[in-house]
Amino acid sequence: MEELLAIFCDVDDFCKAYEEYCQTHLLMSKEQIIPKTSMSLSEIMTIVIYFHLSNQRTFKWYYLKFVSTILKPYFPKLVSYNRFVEIMKMSIVPLTLYLMKYRVGKCTGINFIDSTTLDVCDSHRIYSHKVFKDLAQRGKSSTGWFYGFKLHLVINDMGEILSVCLTAGNVDDRDWEVISKLTKELYGKLFADRGYLSQKLFEKLFDRKYPLNVQAATKYKSVMLK
């Protein structure tokens, strides 16, 4: 369990600084920033991070069969599964800050970019959906139409996350505003599928301060860049 302890110590150092900053700079009560529970924010974040490092695909099974049994000695004030699901959503902001501040990799000159869909509801329930109204949009991916958001991600050749961006579902993968933010400090080669290739995008990336050469990870069409 050395990996678990290392994750907790690193996350706990971040949470101490995060909580101190929030209490001194934000006009919010402590309960609005940090979940009111017997577990600390660092424990909640550690469990969530460790889940994504495990081989489990179902969080419920992971929590009930692994966290509540094998990891129980490491989390003496562990709450029930239902309660944890309620408070887990409070960790999304600190988790995002932790990722972007301390867990992004370094550019090696070999970069990969892609996007995935985040559906918020079934396509038949679009007009009755209210949770993400005016935020989610209808978009189209390689698997068909969907309603929700797009998660854009750039990694290096070692699988380390370099940058991430969340947009509405109708934002094109080649949108320059998104691409420029994702690749702001990248250099070398940028590998992508054919959905990202365009002459205009290629020229803009190549003319930057840190030039990027876009190459397709699949076969080119005759009209694509070579």
Side-chain angles (χ1 to χ4, degrees):
M1 295 297 177
E2 292 183 3
E3 183 182 35
L4 177 66
L5 295 175
I7 293 173
F8 175 78
C9 291
D10 193 48
V11 170
D12 193 51
D13 290 339
F14 164 79
C15 286
K16 290 178 181 178
Y18 171 76
E19 293 174 7
E20 181 180 354
Y21 178 86
C22 290
Q23 293 177 17
T24 56
H25 291 76
L26 300 183
L27 299 177
M28 300 171 65
S29 64
K30 184 178 180 180
E31 289 73 21
Q32 291 177 300
I33 302 171
I34 305 163
K36 189 176 182 180
T37 177
S38 58
M39 297 184 68
S40 65
L41 179 60
S42 52
E43 288 179 314
I44 298 170
M45 289 176 58
T46 299
I47 290 175
V48 174
I49 294 172
Y50 208 60
F51 165 68
H52 291 285
L53 294 176
S54 69
N55 295 322
Q56 305 302 324
R57 301 185 63 182
T58 305
F59 184 80
K60 184 175 183 178
W61 191 99
Y62 160 81
Y63 192 86
L64 296 176
K65 303 297 183 181
F66 185 65
V67 177
S68 299
T69 55
I70 298 175
L71 299 185
K72 176 66 174 179
Y74 297 92
F75 303 98
K77 296 183 179 180
L78 197 67
V79 297
S80 66
Y81 168 74
N82 290 337
R83 176 56 179 159
F84 191 88
V85 171
E86 291 178 359
I87 62 179
M88 183 170 59
K89 60 185 179 182
M90 301 287 288
S91 66
I92 183 64
V93 172
L95 272 172
T96 303
L97 294 174
Y98 176 71
L99 167 66
M100 302 306 298
K101 183 67 176 179
Y102 298 102
R103 282 294 166 259
V104 292
K106 293 183 178 180
C107 180
T108 62
I110 302 177
N111 314 283
F112 300 87
I113 186 172
D114 204 353
S115 67
T116 185
T117 63
L118 299 176
D119 299 32
V120 299
C121 71
D122 185 87
S123 58
H124 296 89
R125 299 186 177 91
I126 293 177
Y127 296 105
S128 61
H129 184 79
K130 298 181 180 179
V131 178
F132 292 103
K133 185 179 179 181
D134 300 327
L135 293 175
Q137 295 292 335
R138 191 194 300 262
K140 188 176 184 180
S141 68
S142 57
T143 58
W145 289 95
F146 72 98
Y147 179 74
F149 302 92
K150 271 187 179 181
L151 180 66
H152 306 261
L153 198 69
V154 179
I155 64 173
N156 60 20
D157 57 328
M158 295 182 288
E160 298 174 332
I161 296 176
L162 300 180
S163 57
V164 61
C165 181
L166 184 68
T167 67
N170 61 345
V171 175
D172 193 287
D173 288 343
R174 296 166 294 183
D175 184 276
W176 175 243
E177 184 176 351
V178 175
I179 295 295
S180 60
K181 291 180 179 179
L182 287 171
T183 63
K184 184 177 180 181
E185 298 181 358
L186 303 185
Y187 61 88
K189 293 185 180 294
L190 180 65
F191 293 91
D193 58 33
R194 287 177 292 188
Y196 283 87
L197 292 181
S198 74
Q199 185 67 34
K200 185 177 180 180
L201 179 63
F202 176 85
E203 292 173 353
K204 284 186 175 181
L205 288 173
F206 197 75
D207 292 338
R208 300 182 322 161
K209 179 180 179 181
Y210 303 106
L212 273 172
N213 182 12
V214 184
Q215 293 195 4
T218 55
K219 291 182 179 180
Y220 292 99
K221 292 181 180 178
S222 58
V223 296
M224 290 292 181
L225 298 172
K226 296 184 179 180

